[in-house]
């Protein structure tokens, strides 16, 4: 199995990422790139390996070396990300999972402040700067008025935005997101993607797993399409979100239109003939 370690100011590059469970190959030699200054979408049907890839890239699922010692490699400023001490890595990389829940009686503000832990000494409490950054992150995701609420009382969409705010408070160079628009209504989805766009414009490397292909077509610059644990296509949305790629991956008939105002792809789908 390969063991990637990825990312930094030059973007994310991972090579030969593999992962198996009980003898079943979930990721099969995946090469993945997410350039800085772009919102990259990780696309593919259920079971294609999107969530697993994000966890492996983040080091949550570190695979062992492959037979013969070959290892997938990724770099941040010339050094492997996985080689960094965990605390230092947490200053570089932030991750938000879909449907992340907690039974702890945390306020929304305290949950977001967890993102500041890598930036303070082990015995220090929250500083005024930490609290200011946490409140700014909540405001950025439209949750400023929820700071004193308990996380357990929030709706799924509200919790999703709190998890994003926690990741923003971490001030990462790389942001890995698993379905960040899950549970959100249309307006909140667009707001979330706007936040990611702003982060990318500031130089953050953003890689987000998305199910909604039209949302990806509207808001992503770069996409990676997975199927059966392999990369089928990667590149600019105009080049990748096309029938020749999408029809066999999703088992549909796709037609690509052009938005009259933005020039972005608009996708329509029908069952296969």
């Amino acid at each position: 199995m390969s063991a990637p370690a990825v990312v930094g100011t030059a973007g994310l590059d991972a090579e030969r990422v593999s992962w198996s469970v009980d003898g079943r190959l979930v990721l099969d030699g995946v090469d993945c790139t997410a350039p800085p200054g772009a919102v990259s979408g990780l696309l593919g049907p259920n079971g294609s390996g999107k969530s697993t890839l994000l966890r492996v890239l983040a080091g949550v699922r570190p695979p062992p070396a492959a037979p013969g010692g070959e290892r997938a490699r990724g770099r941040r400023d010339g050094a492997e990300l996985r080689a960094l001490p965990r605390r230092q890595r947490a200053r570089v990389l932030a991750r938000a999972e879909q449907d992340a829940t907690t039974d702890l009686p945390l306020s929304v503000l305290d949950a977001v402040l967890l993102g500041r832990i890598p930036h303070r000494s082990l015995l220090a409490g929250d500083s005024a700067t930490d609290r200011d950054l946490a409140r700014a992150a909540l405001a950025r995701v439209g949750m400023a008025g929820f700071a004193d609420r308990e996380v357990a009382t929030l709706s799924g969409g509200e919790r999703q935005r709190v998890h994003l705010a926690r990741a923003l408070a971490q001030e990462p160079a790389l942001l890995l997101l698993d379905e960040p628009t899950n549970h959100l209504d249309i307006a909140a989805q667009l707001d979330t993607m706007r936040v990611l766009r702003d982060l990318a414009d500031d130089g953050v490397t953003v890689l987000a797993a998305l199910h909604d292909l039209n949302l990806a077509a509207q808001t992503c610059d770069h996409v990676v399409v997975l199927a059966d644990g392999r990369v089928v296509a990667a590149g600019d949305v105009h080049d990748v979100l096309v029938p020749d790629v999408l029809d066999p991956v999703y088992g549909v008939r796709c037609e690509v239109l052009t938005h009259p105002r933005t020039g972005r792809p608009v996708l329509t789908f029908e069952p296969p003939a």
Side-chain angles (χ1 to χ4, degrees):
M1 295 300 169
S2 55
V6 215
V7 91
T9 55
L12 177 152
D13 286 293
E15 299 176 347
R16 304 182 308 279
V17 182
S18 297
W19 177 264
S20 63
V21 176
D22 297 329
R24 181 176 69 89
L25 198 56
V26 179
L27 298 174
D28 185 6
V30 170
D31 292 337
C32 180
T33 297
V39 177
S40 295
L42 185 60
L43 312 178
N46 291 334
S48 60
K50 300 187 299 297
S51 296
T52 300
L53 177 59
L54 291 176
R55 289 173 185 148
V56 172
L57 294 176
V60 177
R61 289 184 172 175
E70 181 182 10
R71 301 173 72 88
R73 304 182 72 82
R75 295 243 189 302
R76 177 184 185 268
D77 298 334
E80 283 193 50
L81 180 64
R82 286 264 312 280
L84 295 175
R86 181 177 299 180
R87 188 175 181 83
Q88 186 176 351
R89 187 170 65 206
R91 295 173 183 170
V92 173
L93 181 154
R95 183 176 65 98
E97 292 191 280
Q98 60 172 317
D99 297 323
T101 59
T102 178
D103 295 326
L104 297 175
L106 285 176
S107 73
V108 166
L109 181 60
D110 286 339
V112 176
L113 281 166
L114 294 175
R116 299 302 305 160
I117 290 175
H119 297 279
R120 61 181 187 240
S121 63
L122 294 177
L123 299 179
D126 303 324
S127 68
T129 297
D130 291 333
R131 299 183 79 81
D132 287 345
L133 287 169
R135 291 187 182 277
L138 282 171
R140 197 165 192 176
V141 301
M143 293 290 288
F146 290 74
D148 296 327
R149 288 269 302 272
E150 285 200 6
V151 174
T153 68
L154 302 180
S155 69
E158 289 165 346
R159 285 198 301 272
Q160 197 75 8
R161 285 189 278 176
V162 170
H163 296 313
L164 177 57
R166 189 268 309 154
L168 298 184
Q170 206 168 320
E171 297 185 299
L174 168 66
L175 186 58
L176 301 178
L177 303 167
D178 194 357
E179 295 294 336
T181 58
N182 196 27
H183 302 304
L184 301 182
D185 59 36
I186 294 173
Q189 289 180 27
L190 295 176
D191 282 344
T192 294
M193 297 308 293
R194 176 188 51 77
V195 170
L196 300 186
R197 171 78 271 159
D198 290 345
L199 290 169
D201 289 344
D202 290 339
V204 176
T205 300
V206 178
L207 179 62
L210 299 169
H211 265 304
D212 188 331
L213 297 184
N214 270 304
L215 186 63
Q218 290 177 54
T219 57
C220 292
D221 308 297
H222 176 269
V223 290
V224 178
V225 179
L226 293 180
D228 299 322
R230 297 181 179 181
V231 174
V232 174
D236 186 274
V237 291
H238 293 88
D239 299 325
V240 175
L241 300 184
V242 295
D244 285 350
V245 173
L246 300 180
D247 287 9
V249 168
Y250 287 92
V252 297
R253 287 189 297 166
C254 172
E255 183 176 358
V256 181
L257 310 174
T258 300
H259 194 286
R261 182 173 55 81
T262 66
R264 288 270 188 163
V266 177
L267 310 178
T268 67
F269 303 98
E270 296 180 10

